[in-house]
Amino acid sequence: MKCQLIFICILAFCTPSVLKAQKCYDYACNIDKARTALNQKNFKEALAYAKAAKAYPNANVSEADILIYEIFERIEAQKKIAEDATKLAKSEAEKAYLEKIKAEEA
């Protein structure tokens, strides 16, 4: 009975990590995981899977290259969105500061 309980406990703690750490051993699996990671905005993982897919002998290199290019485009888009948000926040803060100064002068 103790052995079964210990086995169940070990299985309960290890199963999520085992399921998460499944590796791909072919091109299609890596490309699918890369696209899934890209859709989840996990760019580092997406790039790793896309590069791994490109390394297989039966790889569709042009498809993998297109996916890698798309990953970098999305990274740049995210950077631009962040920069625009920062600029907007700065301009809003400057407007609020100028309004505060005008209100104090009046």
Side-chain angles (χ1 to χ4, degrees):
M1 185 70 171
K2 282 186 179 181
C3 291
Q4 290 175 342
L5 184 60
I6 291 171
F7 178 74
I8 291 171
C9 289
I10 291 171
L11 189 62
F13 287 114
C14 296
T15 301
S17 62
V18 169
L19 292 176
K20 188 175 182 181
Q22 288 180 348
K23 297 202 179 218
C24 291
Y25 295 105
D26 65 346
Y27 169 78
C29 178
N30 278 298
I31 283 292
D32 289 341
K33 288 209 179 239
R35 287 200 173 117
T36 302
L38 181 60
N39 290 336
Q40 295 172 349
K41 296 183 180 179
N42 187 346
F43 302 119
K44 187 176 181 178
E45 185 176 319
L47 190 58
Y49 278 119
K51 286 181 178 180
K54 190 176 174 180
Y56 282 97
N58 65 337
N60 183 346
V61 176
S62 62
E63 182 184 14
D65 283 339
I66 290 169
L67 185 59
I68 291 170
Y69 182 76
E70 185 178 341
I71 292 166
F72 283 119
E73 279 186 333
R74 293 235 189 134
I75 291 170
E76 287 298 316
Q78 288 292 106
K79 285 181 182 178
K80 180 144 177 56
I81 290 169
E83 289 172 0
D84 291 346
T86 303
K87 287 178 185 177
L88 181 64
K90 274 186 178 180
S91 67
E92 293 291 326
E94 288 173 358
K95 285 180 187 176
Y97 179 72
L98 291 175
E99 287 177 3
K100 180 182 173 185
I101 290 175
K102 286 180 182 178
E104 288 176 357
E105 289 176 355

